[in-house]
Amino acid sequence: MANPSDRMKGPASPAGAPSSVLEASGIVKTYRSGWWPRRRAKPVLHGAEVHLKAGEIVGLVGENGSGKSTLMKILVGALNRDAGSVAHSGLVGFCPQEPVLYERLTCDEHFELFGRAYGMAESAMQLSREDIYATLGFAEWGSARVEELSGGTRAKLNLGLALLPDPDLLLLDEPYAGFDWDTYQRFWQLTRDRRDAGRSLLIISHFISDADRFDRIYDLIDGRTVAR
Ligand SMILES: Nc1ncnc2c1ncn2[C@@H]1O[C@H](COP(=O)(O)OP(=O)(O)OP(=O)(O)O)[C@@H](O)[C@H]1O
Ligand SMILES: [Mg+2]
């Protein structure tokens, strides 16, 4: 998913210190559309930066339209940047704000498809899939097509696909927007378990009440990230 040239080179940190999993700085992005004389430019990011170490849960917050999804897509390599640098180490998982799912495929078939894309062995894919079904509570929908799923179950599948290869770094864009209370609690337990296992998460959130759940928070203001 990430651009191979964005991979971190060399030892990331001295022995004993948590290693760096994401280093992004000077990120600039302007959306451009149309042709002269109706050419439009929408500047969104003006030098944003994000740094994550192993075993951290970091929040990315900001107003609607401030550029959070734009920044996350750039961090994962799904969108080109105009300037700046992005480097990660290890495997990256991404849960986009709008689920990218195939209406005619079942949940099981999605996991199979993504498992192959990640280069996972069938047995490892199945183990991980069963764990995800149990953790997020949607095993009974395994053989249902996406077109039959509720918004919340689609959101579970969207998150589950990002979790499938047990990535070192998870980038989640408002992952729990459609979750019920029980699933929301399970989600936060899952994030803590991953942190305890040395994994890292960057999570876009709108809920002020979630602030305590993050180790650190970046506010995205006027196209720049401000560390709280
Ligand atoms: N493909 C695009 N072309 C042109 N403008 C875009 C495009 N995608 C996003 N924008 C604009 O860029 C700005 C940032 O959008 P973005 O989706 O990154 O914001 P956001 O912080 O994720 O918002 P939200 O909280 O609503 O999800 C917005 O003004 C949006 O209208
Ligand atoms: Mg967004």
Side-chain angles (χ1 to χ4, degrees):
M1 200 167 288
N3 184 338
S5 66
D6 289 343
R7 225 153 237 295
M8 265 181 208
K9 314 236 172 21
S13 61
S19 60
S20 192
V21 289
L22 174 67
E23 295 287 343
S25 47
I27 306 293
V28 174
K29 178 69 184 178
T30 296
Y31 286 107
R32 297 175 198 281
S33 59
W35 300 94
W36 187 89
R38 296 189 182 280
R39 188 142 174 76
R40 285 188 302 276
K42 166 82 191 165
V44 178
L45 301 173
H46 310 280
E49 60 181 87
V50 177
H51 306 278
L52 253 90
K53 294 199 181 307
E56 278 194 310
I57 305 177
V58 175
L60 177 60
V61 306
E63 292 175 358
N64 289 133
S66 56
K68 303 179 298 297
S69 296
T70 299
L71 177 57
M72 192 167 270
K73 283 183 209 161
I74 289 172
L75 295 178
V76 81
L79 183 69
N80 288 334
R81 56 192 182 262
D82 297 333
S85 62
V86 178
H88 358 71
S89 64
L91 195 56
V92 181
F94 174 44
C95 179
Q97 186 168 10
E98 304 296 336
V100 181
L101 302 171
Y102 301 93
E103 294 290 314
R104 309 282 287 173
L105 295 188
T106 66
C107 292
D108 282 353
E109 287 165 347
H110 274 83
F111 282 113
E112 235 165 77
L113 188 69
F114 278 67
R116 279 200 208 117
Y118 285 126
M120 297 173 77
E122 179 74 14
S123 54
M125 183 281 288
Q126 282 179 8
L127 263 178
S128 179
R129 182 187 69 193
E130 295 315 309
D131 187 40
I132 290 162
Y133 278 150
T135 305
L136 295 175
F138 68 118
E140 71 271 32
W141 295 100
S143 52
R145 285 182 177 176
V146 163
E147 62 192 3
E148 301 169 57
L149 303 181
S150 69
T153 308
R154 284 171 189 241
K156 291 179 188 180
L157 179 57
N158 190 36
L159 173 62
L161 294 171
L163 285 165
L164 185 65
D166 186 21
D168 302 278
L169 169 63
L170 257 180
L171 300 173
L172 309 178
D173 193 344
E174 299 192 40
Y176 44 77
F179 288 174
D180 56 37
W181 179 249
D182 182 48
T183 312
Y184 176 73
Q185 298 292 345
R186 290 176 192 218
F187 167 78
W188 282 110
Q189 184 58 50
L190 177 157
T191 63
R192 288 190 291 271
D193 291 346
R194 294 194 69 77
R195 173 177 57 190
D196 293 347
R199 308 284 190 263
S200 309
L201 302 97
L202 180 68
I203 303 174
I204 294 177
S205 168
H206 273 300
F207 300 141
I208 294 162
S209 55
D210 285 342
D212 292 346
R213 302 182 189 265
F214 296 115
D215 297 319
R216 291 188 294 119
I217 292 178
Y218 286 107
D219 287 292
L220 188 53
I221 303 168
D222 296 333
R224 288 188 179 82
T225 40
V226 180
R228 238 186 240 185

